[in-house]
Amino acid sequence: MEEVDLTESDLGVYLFEENPTPMIIFSRDSLDIKRVNEAATEQYGYTRKEFTNLNVKQIRPREDIPKLMEDIDRTAHQDYTDTYRHLTKEGELLYVKVQAKPLNLNSQNLQLAVLNDITEEVEAKIRSQQAENLANLGWWTYEVKKNQILWSKKLYDIFEVDQQSFEATLE
C-alpha cells in the first residue's frame, strides 16, 4: 500500500476524495451539487464536471421529488438516514441508503450525503414479496432472543385472522 504524506489541512479533502463510498456535497438552498468524490462518479456514470452541473433533483425519479423536498425541509440542521431511489446517467434505477449531515462552510448551507447502494438487497426483497404473493404463500419466523413469533401479512390473510387482534403462538 502506498503511503500518503498529508498535512492536517489536506486530510479532510483526501478522506472525501479517496473514500470508496460515493459522496456528494450539495447546497440545501438551491440543491445544486457542489462536489462529488471519485466513487460517486463511478457509481452514477457522470464526470465530475457533469455532476457539478446537476442538482439533486436530477438524480431522482420525477415522482420522488416531492418526498425529497419534504425531507429537505423536515431535516434542516440535523443528521438523517433514509432510503431513496436515484438514477444513473444511463437511467438505471438505484436504491440508495443516504446518510446526510448538514455542513456550514464559508456561510454556505451545504449537505454532505454518503450514498450506499443497496439495490441488490431491495430488489431481492421485492422479488421475494412478489413470489410470496404469486404462490399465495405466507411465512413465519421465531425470534429466539425475543421469544417472539412473527407472521407475514400473507399468513394472516391465509388463516383469515385479524393481524391486530390475533396473537401468533407456536401452538
PDB file of all heavy atoms in Angstrom, residues 141-163:
ATOM      1  N   THR A 141     -41.607 -16.760  11.392  1.00  0.00           N
ATOM      2  CA  THR A 141     -40.270 -16.936  11.941  1.00  0.00           C
ATOM      3  C   THR A 141     -40.342 -16.792  13.456  1.00  0.00           C
ATOM      4  O   THR A 141     -41.233 -16.126  13.981  1.00  0.00           O
ATOM      5  CB  THR A 141     -39.269 -15.910  11.337  1.00  0.00           C
ATOM      6  OG1 THR A 141     -37.965 -16.211  11.805  1.00  0.00           O
ATOM      7  CG2 THR A 141     -39.617 -14.498  11.701  1.00  0.00           C
ATOM      8  N   TYR A 142     -39.426 -17.453  14.119  1.00  0.00           N
ATOM      9  CA  TYR A 142     -39.356 -17.386  15.577  1.00  0.00           C
ATOM     10  C   TYR A 142     -38.064 -16.671  15.957  1.00  0.00           C
ATOM     11  O   TYR A 142     -36.976 -17.102  15.578  1.00  0.00           O
ATOM     12  CB  TYR A 142     -39.385 -18.792  16.173  1.00  0.00           C
ATOM     13  CG  TYR A 142     -39.228 -18.817  17.689  1.00  0.00           C
ATOM     14  CD1 TYR A 142     -40.210 -18.269  18.506  1.00  0.00           C
ATOM     15  CD2 TYR A 142     -38.117 -19.381  18.285  1.00  0.00           C
ATOM     16  CE1 TYR A 142     -40.086 -18.292  19.888  1.00  0.00           C
ATOM     17  CE2 TYR A 142     -37.979 -19.412  19.664  1.00  0.00           C
ATOM     18  CZ  TYR A 142     -38.964 -18.858  20.457  1.00  0.00           C
ATOM     19  OH  TYR A 142     -38.830 -18.876  21.823  1.00  0.00           O
ATOM     20  N   GLU A 143     -38.186 -15.567  16.668  1.00  0.00           N
ATOM     21  CA  GLU A 143     -37.017 -14.821  17.141  1.00  0.00           C
ATOM     22  C   GLU A 143     -36.692 -15.303  18.548  1.00  0.00           C
ATOM     23  O   GLU A 143     -37.396 -14.980  19.508  1.00  0.00           O
ATOM     24  CB  GLU A 143     -37.292 -13.321  17.120  1.00  0.00           C
ATOM     25  CG  GLU A 143     -37.382 -12.758  15.726  1.00  0.00           C
ATOM     26  CD  GLU A 143     -37.391 -11.243  15.699  1.00  0.00           C
ATOM     27  OE1 GLU A 143     -37.196 -10.609  16.754  1.00  0.00           O
ATOM     28  OE2 GLU A 143     -37.598 -10.703  14.607  1.00  0.00           O
ATOM     29  N   VAL A 144     -35.648 -16.101  18.656  1.00  0.00           N
ATOM     30  CA  VAL A 144     -35.279 -16.748  19.912  1.00  0.00           C
ATOM     31  C   VAL A 144     -34.987 -15.725  21.003  1.00  0.00           C
ATOM     32  O   VAL A 144     -35.501 -15.839  22.119  1.00  0.00           O
ATOM     33  CB  VAL A 144     -34.058 -17.684  19.709  1.00  0.00           C
ATOM     34  CG1 VAL A 144     -33.602 -18.289  21.018  1.00  0.00           C
ATOM     35  CG2 VAL A 144     -34.391 -18.778  18.690  1.00  0.00           C
ATOM     36  N   LYS A 145     -34.180 -14.739  20.704  1.00  0.00           N
ATOM     37  CA  LYS A 145     -33.789 -13.758  21.722  1.00  0.00           C
ATOM     38  C   LYS A 145     -34.986 -13.019  22.310  1.00  0.00           C
ATOM     39  O   LYS A 145     -35.005 -12.697  23.488  1.00  0.00           O
ATOM     40  CB  LYS A 145     -32.795 -12.749  21.153  1.00  0.00           C
ATOM     41  CG  LYS A 145     -31.426 -13.326  20.914  1.00  0.00           C
ATOM     42  CD  LYS A 145     -30.471 -12.268  20.402  1.00  0.00           C
ATOM     43  CE  LYS A 145     -29.111 -12.889  20.165  1.00  0.00           C
ATOM     44  NZ  LYS A 145     -28.153 -11.931  19.630  1.00  0.00           N
ATOM     45  N   LYS A 146     -35.978 -12.752  21.485  1.00  0.00           N
ATOM     46  CA  LYS A 146     -37.164 -12.016  21.948  1.00  0.00           C
ATOM     47  C   LYS A 146     -38.300 -12.957  22.356  1.00  0.00           C
ATOM     48  O   LYS A 146     -39.324 -12.498  22.845  1.00  0.00           O
ATOM     49  CB  LYS A 146     -37.672 -11.083  20.846  1.00  0.00           C
ATOM     50  CG  LYS A 146     -36.729  -9.964  20.514  1.00  0.00           C
ATOM     51  CD  LYS A 146     -37.334  -9.092  19.432  1.00  0.00           C
ATOM     52  CE  LYS A 146     -36.418  -7.962  19.050  1.00  0.00           C
ATOM     53  NZ  LYS A 146     -37.000  -7.142  17.987  1.00  0.00           N
ATOM     54  N   ASN A 147     -38.101 -14.275  22.106  1.00  0.00           N
ATOM     55  CA  ASN A 147     -39.161 -15.256  22.344  1.00  0.00           C
ATOM     56  C   ASN A 147     -40.459 -14.789  21.670  1.00  0.00           C
ATOM     57  O   ASN A 147     -41.507 -14.704  22.291  1.00  0.00           O
ATOM     58  CB  ASN A 147     -39.373 -15.500  23.843  1.00  0.00           C
ATOM     59  CG  ASN A 147     -40.275 -16.701  24.087  1.00  0.00           C
ATOM     60  OD1 ASN A 147     -40.330 -17.626  23.269  1.00  0.00           O
ATOM     61  ND2 ASN A 147     -40.993 -16.681  25.193  1.00  0.00           N
ATOM     62  N   GLN A 148     -40.332 -14.473  20.385  1.00  0.00           N
ATOM     63  CA  GLN A 148     -41.443 -13.876  19.653  1.00  0.00           C
ATOM     64  C   GLN A 148     -41.614 -14.565  18.297  1.00  0.00           C
ATOM     65  O   GLN A 148     -40.640 -14.876  17.625  1.00  0.00           O
ATOM     66  CB  GLN A 148     -41.151 -12.388  19.455  1.00  0.00           C
ATOM     67  CG  GLN A 148     -42.229 -11.624  18.759  1.00  0.00           C
ATOM     68  CD  GLN A 148     -41.839 -10.149  18.608  1.00  0.00           C
ATOM     69  OE1 GLN A 148     -40.665  -9.793  18.616  1.00  0.00           O
ATOM     70  NE2 GLN A 148     -42.838  -9.317  18.463  1.00  0.00           N
ATOM     71  N   ILE A 149     -42.851 -14.776  17.923  1.00  0.00           N
ATOM     72  CA  ILE A 149     -43.175 -15.341  16.611  1.00  0.00           C
ATOM     73  C   ILE A 149     -43.694 -14.212  15.724  1.00  0.00           C
ATOM     74  O   ILE A 149     -44.538 -13.424  16.142  1.00  0.00           O
ATOM     75  CB  ILE A 149     -44.249 -16.437  16.735  1.00  0.00           C
ATOM     76  CG1 ILE A 149     -43.704 -17.594  17.562  1.00  0.00           C
ATOM     77  CG2 ILE A 149     -44.691 -16.913  15.358  1.00  0.00           C
ATOM     78  CD1 ILE A 149     -44.715 -18.652  17.860  1.00  0.00           C
ATOM     79  N   LEU A 150     -43.166 -14.149  14.514  1.00  0.00           N
ATOM     80  CA  LEU A 150     -43.596 -13.135  13.556  1.00  0.00           C
ATOM     81  C   LEU A 150     -44.214 -13.819  12.343  1.00  0.00           C
ATOM     82  O   LEU A 150     -43.665 -14.780  11.826  1.00  0.00           O
ATOM     83  CB  LEU A 150     -42.407 -12.283  13.116  1.00  0.00           C
ATOM     84  CG  LEU A 150     -41.672 -11.533  14.214  1.00  0.00           C
ATOM     85  CD1 LEU A 150     -40.438 -10.853  13.647  1.00  0.00           C
ATOM     86  CD2 LEU A 150     -42.581 -10.519  14.865  1.00  0.00           C
ATOM     87  N   TRP A 151     -45.357 -13.324  11.926  1.00  0.00           N
ATOM     88  CA  TRP A 151     -46.030 -13.823  10.735  1.00  0.00           C
ATOM     89  C   TRP A 151     -45.970 -12.770   9.647  1.00  0.00           C
ATOM     90  O   TRP A 151     -46.035 -11.577   9.912  1.00  0.00           O
ATOM     91  CB  TRP A 151     -47.505 -14.085  11.044  1.00  0.00           C
ATOM     92  CG  TRP A 151     -47.821 -15.382  11.697  1.00  0.00           C
ATOM     93  CD1 TRP A 151     -46.982 -16.212  12.367  1.00  0.00           C
ATOM     94  CD2 TRP A 151     -49.105 -15.990  11.766  1.00  0.00           C
ATOM     95  NE1 TRP A 151     -47.655 -17.297  12.842  1.00  0.00           N
ATOM     96  CE2 TRP A 151     -48.973 -17.191  12.493  1.00  0.00           C
ATOM     97  CE3 TRP A 151     -50.365 -15.644  11.285  1.00  0.00           C
ATOM     98  CZ2 TRP A 151     -50.037 -18.044  12.740  1.00  0.00           C
ATOM     99  CZ3 TRP A 151     -51.426 -16.488  11.537  1.00  0.00           C
ATOM    100  CH2 TRP A 151     -51.265 -17.687  12.249  1.00  0.00           C
ATOM    101  N   SER A 152     -45.912 -13.234   8.394  1.00  0.00           N
ATOM    102  CA  SER A 152     -46.036 -12.310   7.264  1.00  0.00           C
ATOM    103  C   SER A 152     -47.506 -11.902   7.146  1.00  0.00           C
ATOM    104  O   SER A 152     -48.407 -12.596   7.641  1.00  0.00           O
ATOM    105  CB  SER A 152     -45.588 -12.980   5.966  1.00  0.00           C
ATOM    106  OG  SER A 152     -46.499 -13.992   5.592  1.00  0.00           O
ATOM    107  N   LYS A 153     -47.744 -10.790   6.500  1.00  0.00           N
ATOM    108  CA  LYS A 153     -49.128 -10.323   6.296  1.00  0.00           C
ATOM    109  C   LYS A 153     -49.929 -11.381   5.543  1.00  0.00           C
ATOM    110  O   LYS A 153     -51.088 -11.637   5.843  1.00  0.00           O
ATOM    111  CB  LYS A 153     -49.133  -9.003   5.534  1.00  0.00           C
ATOM    112  CG  LYS A 153     -50.546  -8.460   5.334  1.00  0.00           C
ATOM    113  CD  LYS A 153     -50.557  -7.185   4.561  1.00  0.00           C
ATOM    114  CE  LYS A 153     -51.924  -6.636   4.303  1.00  0.00           C
ATOM    115  NZ  LYS A 153     -53.020  -7.542   4.160  1.00  0.00           N
ATOM    116  N   LYS A 154     -49.287 -12.023   4.585  1.00  0.00           N
ATOM    117  CA  LYS A 154     -49.968 -13.036   3.778  1.00  0.00           C
ATOM    118  C   LYS A 154     -50.443 -14.208   4.635  1.00  0.00           C
ATOM    119  O   LYS A 154     -51.517 -14.770   4.398  1.00  0.00           O
ATOM    120  CB  LYS A 154     -49.024 -13.527   2.663  1.00  0.00           C
ATOM    121  CG  LYS A 154     -49.710 -14.375   1.633  1.00  0.00           C
ATOM    122  CD  LYS A 154     -50.699 -13.535   0.859  1.00  0.00           C
ATOM    123  CE  LYS A 154     -51.339 -14.313  -0.249  1.00  0.00           C
ATOM    124  NZ  LYS A 154     -52.356 -13.531  -0.942  1.00  0.00           N
ATOM    125  N   LEU A 155     -49.675 -14.590   5.657  1.00  0.00           N
ATOM    126  CA  LEU A 155     -50.069 -15.698   6.524  1.00  0.00           C
ATOM    127  C   LEU A 155     -51.340 -15.356   7.306  1.00  0.00           C
ATOM    128  O   LEU A 155     -52.223 -16.195   7.466  1.00  0.00           O
ATOM    129  CB  LEU A 155     -48.931 -16.082   7.477  1.00  0.00           C
ATOM    130  CG  LEU A 155     -49.036 -17.455   8.140  1.00  0.00           C
ATOM    131  CD1 LEU A 155     -49.194 -18.566   7.106  1.00  0.00           C
ATOM    132  CD2 LEU A 155     -47.821 -17.712   9.003  1.00  0.00           C
ATOM    133  N   TYR A 156     -51.462 -14.119   7.770  1.00  0.00           N
ATOM    134  CA  TYR A 156     -52.699 -13.682   8.422  1.00  0.00           C
ATOM    135  C   TYR A 156     -53.870 -13.793   7.449  1.00  0.00           C
ATOM    136  O   TYR A 156     -54.965 -14.233   7.820  1.00  0.00           O
ATOM    137  CB  TYR A 156     -52.579 -12.235   8.912  1.00  0.00           C
ATOM    138  CG  TYR A 156     -51.754 -12.070  10.158  1.00  0.00           C
ATOM    139  CD1 TYR A 156     -50.421 -11.690  10.089  1.00  0.00           C
ATOM    140  CD2 TYR A 156     -52.313 -12.291  11.421  1.00  0.00           C
ATOM    141  CE1 TYR A 156     -49.663 -11.533  11.233  1.00  0.00           C
ATOM    142  CE2 TYR A 156     -51.560 -12.129  12.583  1.00  0.00           C
ATOM    143  CZ  TYR A 156     -50.233 -11.749  12.473  1.00  0.00           C
ATOM    144  OH  TYR A 156     -49.488 -11.598  13.620  1.00  0.00           O
ATOM    145  N   ASP A 157     -53.619 -13.404   6.185  1.00  0.00           N
ATOM    146  CA  ASP A 157     -54.678 -13.487   5.169  1.00  0.00           C
ATOM    147  C   ASP A 157     -55.083 -14.941   4.910  1.00  0.00           C
ATOM    148  O   ASP A 157     -56.272 -15.252   4.808  1.00  0.00           O
ATOM    149  CB  ASP A 157     -54.210 -12.850   3.857  1.00  0.00           C
ATOM    150  CG  ASP A 157     -53.999 -11.347   3.972  1.00  0.00           C
ATOM    151  OD1 ASP A 157     -54.491 -10.739   4.946  1.00  0.00           O
ATOM    152  OD2 ASP A 157     -53.328 -10.783   3.076  1.00  0.00           O
ATOM    153  N   ILE A 158     -54.102 -15.828   4.809  1.00  0.00           N
ATOM    154  CA  ILE A 158     -54.384 -17.243   4.531  1.00  0.00           C
ATOM    155  C   ILE A 158     -55.252 -17.849   5.633  1.00  0.00           C
ATOM    156  O   ILE A 158     -56.217 -18.569   5.368  1.00  0.00           O
ATOM    157  CB  ILE A 158     -53.067 -18.035   4.363  1.00  0.00           C
ATOM    158  CG1 ILE A 158     -52.374 -17.643   3.059  1.00  0.00           C
ATOM    159  CG2 ILE A 158     -53.319 -19.549   4.407  1.00  0.00           C
ATOM    160  CD1 ILE A 158     -50.946 -18.146   2.922  1.00  0.00           C
ATOM    161  N   PHE A 159     -54.932 -17.558   6.882  1.00  0.00           N
ATOM    162  CA  PHE A 159     -55.696 -18.097   8.014  1.00  0.00           C
ATOM    163  C   PHE A 159     -56.914 -17.259   8.367  1.00  0.00           C
ATOM    164  O   PHE A 159     -57.639 -17.587   9.307  1.00  0.00           O
ATOM    165  CB  PHE A 159     -54.787 -18.265   9.242  1.00  0.00           C
ATOM    166  CG  PHE A 159     -53.878 -19.452   9.136  1.00  0.00           C
ATOM    167  CD1 PHE A 159     -52.540 -19.291   8.811  1.00  0.00           C
ATOM    168  CD2 PHE A 159     -54.369 -20.744   9.330  1.00  0.00           C
ATOM    169  CE1 PHE A 159     -51.696 -20.394   8.692  1.00  0.00           C
ATOM    170  CE2 PHE A 159     -53.534 -21.843   9.215  1.00  0.00           C
ATOM    171  CZ  PHE A 159     -52.193 -21.667   8.892  1.00  0.00           C
ATOM    172  N   GLU A 160     -57.116 -16.195   7.597  1.00  0.00           N
ATOM    173  CA  GLU A 160     -58.275 -15.323   7.769  1.00  0.00           C
ATOM    174  C   GLU A 160     -58.431 -14.858   9.215  1.00  0.00           C
ATOM    175  O   GLU A 160     -59.506 -14.932   9.811  1.00  0.00           O
ATOM    176  CB  GLU A 160     -59.547 -16.019   7.274  1.00  0.00           C
ATOM    177  CG  GLU A 160     -59.505 -16.339   5.801  1.00  0.00           C
ATOM    178  CD  GLU A 160     -60.735 -17.088   5.310  1.00  0.00           C
ATOM    179  OE1 GLU A 160     -61.526 -17.583   6.123  1.00  0.00           O
ATOM    180  OE2 GLU A 160     -60.876 -17.175   4.078  1.00  0.00           O
ATOM    181  N   VAL A 161     -57.335 -14.362   9.786  1.00  0.00           N
ATOM    182  CA  VAL A 161     -57.359 -13.794  11.134  1.00  0.00           C
ATOM    183  C   VAL A 161     -56.878 -12.349  11.070  1.00  0.00           C
ATOM    184  O   VAL A 161     -56.095 -11.980  10.195  1.00  0.00           O
ATOM    185  CB  VAL A 161     -56.493 -14.603  12.140  1.00  0.00           C
ATOM    186  CG1 VAL A 161     -57.087 -15.987  12.367  1.00  0.00           C
ATOM    187  CG2 VAL A 161     -55.056 -14.705  11.677  1.00  0.00           C
ATOM    188  N   ASP A 162     -57.374 -11.550  12.002  1.00  0.00           N
ATOM    189  CA  ASP A 162     -57.030 -10.140  12.044  1.00  0.00           C
ATOM    190  C   ASP A 162     -55.650  -9.947  12.658  1.00  0.00           C
ATOM    191  O   ASP A 162     -55.382 -10.422  13.766  1.00  0.00           O
ATOM    192  CB  ASP A 162     -58.079  -9.375  12.858  1.00  0.00           C
ATOM    193  CG  ASP A 162     -57.793  -7.898  12.914  1.00  0.00           C
ATOM    194  OD1 ASP A 162     -57.551  -7.295  11.851  1.00  0.00           O
ATOM    195  OD2 ASP A 162     -57.784  -7.345  14.043  1.00  0.00           O
ATOM    196  N   GLN A 163     -54.794  -9.251  11.958  1.00  0.00           N
ATOM    197  CA  GLN A 163     -53.416  -9.032  12.401  1.00  0.00           C
ATOM    198  C   GLN A 163     -53.375  -8.250  13.720  1.00  0.00           C
ATOM    199  O   GLN A 163     -52.480  -8.464  14.525  1.00  0.00           O
ATOM    200  CB  GLN A 163     -52.668  -8.258  11.312  1.00  0.00           C
ATOM    201  CG  GLN A 163     -51.188  -8.190  11.515  1.00  0.00           C
ATOM    202  CD  GLN A 163     -50.464  -7.627  10.304  1.00  0.00           C
ATOM    203  OE1 GLN A 163     -51.060  -7.424   9.248  1.00  0.00           O
ATOM    204  NE2 GLN A 163     -49.200  -7.376  10.447  1.00  0.00           N
TER     205      GLN A 163
END
